[in-house]
Amino acid sequence: MPVAHGHPEATPSSENMVVAERVYKRFGRLPVLQGIDLRVRRGEVMCVMGPSGSGKSTFLRCVNHLEKINAGRLWVDGQLMGYRQKGGKLYELHDREVAAQRRNIGMVFQNFNLFPHMSVLGNVVEAPLQARGRRGGTRSQIQQHALELLDRVGLANKARAYPRQLSGGQQQRVAIARALAMNPALMLFDEPTSALDPELVGDVLDVMRDLASEGMTMIVVTHEVGFAREVADSFVFMDEGVVVESGAPREVLGNPQHERTRSFLSKVL
């Protein structure tokens, strides 16, 4: 069934990993995103901040089509997410086609969402094993890759443990390894440290710093100002479903131009 999004056909440039053009999303009558325009270059780390209810998490969920947008366009790695376009109209993709698109995108949630009945290794290998027929690789190769990822996040010695035996910070690092197991081109982080005790935050941020240094494209919804200032290439402040201000982190954080941005940052800096 065609979806009329009222937007002229456009083609994202190859230098961008994510292109959002006039993205709108509402829940019932409640507008949540009101015309988001953003570009995330390949290898870029974008940090997004804003008050609760500003649309940050909803935008992330729209990027991987966990939420369907009501208007606009979203491309990831050159693909129109969730739709194909023909004759100026959008047609929804089948679920299996959307699932194939999502395999290119890793997502780390605020609450770790690990399978409690599976070991740490089991959590990391589950998705690649399910996709094995499409991507190739033997079970032993997939397990070896998972062990390498656990070593990368500092948890090689916890492969046989279960989530209940881990701290919150360790569980979140397992969640990052699980997201990386599908070799994504893009990583989305939805306030990955907000549920953690303060002393556990650093280890998770260190893993994210390493990913950034290796050139992973990342969109990070966070209130960790120090991380944004140090690691991000771009900084976005959202409020009431719109991008209020964006630019280089040091410029926006150090000299915000909008009163709403100044008001918010005065409470978190």
Side-chain angles (χ1 to χ4, degrees):
M1 179 178 179
V3 182
H5 279 216
H7 193 303
E9 187 167 345
T11 304
S13 68
S14 59
E15 69 181 18
N16 293 313
M17 176 64 72
V18 179
V19 176
E21 292 191 347
R22 294 172 59 190
V23 170
Y24 286 79
K25 174 65 182 177
R26 63 180 180 273
F27 294 113
R29 295 184 178 181
L30 177 67
V32 180
L33 300 176
Q34 303 191 68
I36 300 295
D37 288 298
L38 284 175
R39 304 284 187 277
V40 184
R41 300 184 312 278
R42 296 179 187 276
E44 177 180 346
V45 178
M46 174 181 284
C47 281
V48 183
M49 287 189 189
S52 178
S54 60
K56 311 179 302 295
S57 295
T58 297
F59 176 70
L60 279 195
R61 292 174 65 84
C62 288
V63 169
N64 64 5
H65 206 64
L66 287 175
E67 297 288 353
K68 297 179 182 179
I69 63 177
N70 297 113
R73 299 286 194 277
L74 263 169
W75 288 270
V76 175
D77 202 11
Q79 290 192 327
L80 189 61
M81 285 300 297
Y83 301 95
R84 61 183 175 85
Q85 186 161 303
K86 185 177 180 181
K89 292 183 179 180
L90 296 184
Y91 295 80
E92 289 191 36
L93 297 179
H94 295 295
D95 289 347
R96 67 179 181 277
E97 295 173 298
V98 175
Q101 288 184 324
R102 287 199 191 110
R103 287 197 288 273
N104 202 34
I105 305 170
M107 187 161 185
V108 178
F109 299 88
Q110 178 177 340
N111 297 311
F112 327 118
N113 293 344
L114 299 178
F115 296 118
H117 63 288
M118 290 185 178
S119 68
V120 165
L121 181 61
N123 269 277
V124 178
V125 301
E126 175 66 12
L129 283 176
Q130 292 295 328
R132 182 170 50 164
R134 292 178 291 273
R135 292 202 167 194
T138 66
R139 178 179 289 269
S140 62
Q141 287 172 331
I142 291 170
Q143 287 191 338
Q144 180 59 38
H145 183 226
L147 289 170
E148 291 168 0
L149 289 172
L150 287 172
D151 184 56
R152 182 176 178 178
V153 300
L155 292 173
N157 63 332
K158 299 292 186 180
R160 304 299 173 186
Y162 283 82
R164 65 180 179 275
Q165 299 172 303
L166 305 181
S167 70
Q170 289 172 329
Q171 289 186 62
Q172 193 62 294
R173 283 185 279 153
V174 173
I176 294 173
R178 179 180 61 181
L180 292 171
M182 295 295 286
N183 298 313
L186 169 68
M187 285 286 286
L188 308 176
F189 293 87
D190 189 6
E191 300 197 38
T193 61
S194 63
L196 302 180
D197 293 333
E199 66 268 22
L200 302 177
V201 168
D203 289 339
V204 173
L205 293 181
D206 284 344
V207 172
M208 294 169 65
R209 286 187 184 94
D210 287 344
L211 287 176
S213 70
E214 293 167 8
M216 175 64 73
T217 310
M218 299 159 59
I219 305 177
V220 185
V221 171
T222 183
H223 287 156
E224 299 289 342
V225 177
F227 176 85
R229 184 182 286 115
E230 173 192 351
V231 178
D233 301 295
S234 59
F235 181 91
V236 172
F237 174 69
M238 289 180 62
D239 190 28
E240 297 185 347
V242 301
V243 173
V244 176
E245 191 164 354
S246 63
R250 292 185 181 275
E251 293 175 4
V252 179
L253 291 168
N255 186 29
Q257 300 300 301
H258 293 264
E259 176 55 36
R260 184 67 188 93
T261 315
R262 288 194 292 269
S263 174
F264 176 83
L265 290 177
S266 71
K267 295 176 175 64
V268 299
L269 288 176

